[in-house]
Amino acid sequence: MTYPDRTLSGELSLAIVRLARRLRGRRVSKVVSLTQLSALSTLHHEGPMSPGALALAERVQPPSMTRVIASLSDLGMVRREPHPTDGRQAIVTLAERGNEVITAELDAREEWLSARLAELTPHERGQLAAIVPIVNKLINGDDNAR
């Protein structure tokens, strides 16, 4: 079933796209692409994982993630280590350089967004805090739902 009020979906979509664009504009490192940055962020938040798990988390095909991991490895931002129980697998971990890049990126975004949030009233900040779990529910929902 589709939500019938296209006004809400259109306005919400546009607001999120604009916010994402503003946050991307805070980027401090142009060494990595947005796709690479997203993979680094997932490793930063979720910890070491197999390439397949990283592809699933990033919602991309495994061959695409293999190329992303290879490029990040070439840049010294991730390491591929042997899987502890499956010799056919590898575990991708964040290298120190990758950690430095992702930390700088997150700090720059957080600094900008914190300054914007400080401009809001306490009530407005409370409303935004209440919305975060709802937006996460939208993001993590079933992509195949109709």
Side-chain angles (χ1 to χ4, degrees), residues 75-86:
L75 292 168
M77 296 200 188
V78 298
R79 289 186 310 274
R80 287 178 271 203
E81 299 174 348
H83 192 284
T85 60
D86 185 349

Side-chain angles (χ1 to χ4, degrees), residues 83-144:
H83 192 284
T85 60
D86 185 349
R88 300 168 296 165
Q89 292 267 356
I91 296 295
V92 181
T93 61
L94 200 55
E96 185 59 35
R97 182 156 188 241
N99 192 54
E100 290 168 0
V101 167
I102 197 63
T103 299
E105 294 288 339
L106 293 172
D107 288 349
R109 290 176 184 194
E110 188 173 310
E111 181 181 328
W112 178 84
L113 191 53
S114 290
R116 299 297 74 74
L117 290 171
E119 297 169 358
L120 302 177
T121 67
H123 177 72
E124 289 169 328
R125 284 191 298 274
Q127 287 180 307
L128 281 174
I131 289 170
V132 170
I134 298 168
V135 172
N136 282 330
K137 184 176 180 179
L138 289 172
I139 292 167
N140 296 318
D142 182 5
D143 282 340
N144 296 319

Side-chain angles (χ1 to χ4, degrees), residues 6-65:
R6 291 187 176 258
T7 303
L8 174 59
S9 60
E11 289 179 4
L12 180 60
S13 176
L14 185 58
I16 289 171
V17 166
R18 286 179 174 164
L19 178 60
R21 188 178 301 134
R22 295 295 299 268
L23 289 171
R24 279 194 310 269
R26 306 295 115 203
R27 293 197 59 202
V28 293
S29 172
K30 305 296 189 218
V31 174
V32 294
S33 69
L34 290 173
T35 301
Q36 292 168 319
L37 186 62
S38 184
L40 290 174
S41 181
T42 297
L43 290 169
H44 178 77
H45 290 295
E46 304 294 328
M49 61 182 63
S50 70
L54 186 55
L56 186 62
E58 290 294 304
R59 298 180 182 218
V60 299
Q61 294 298 315
S64 297
M65 185 52 61

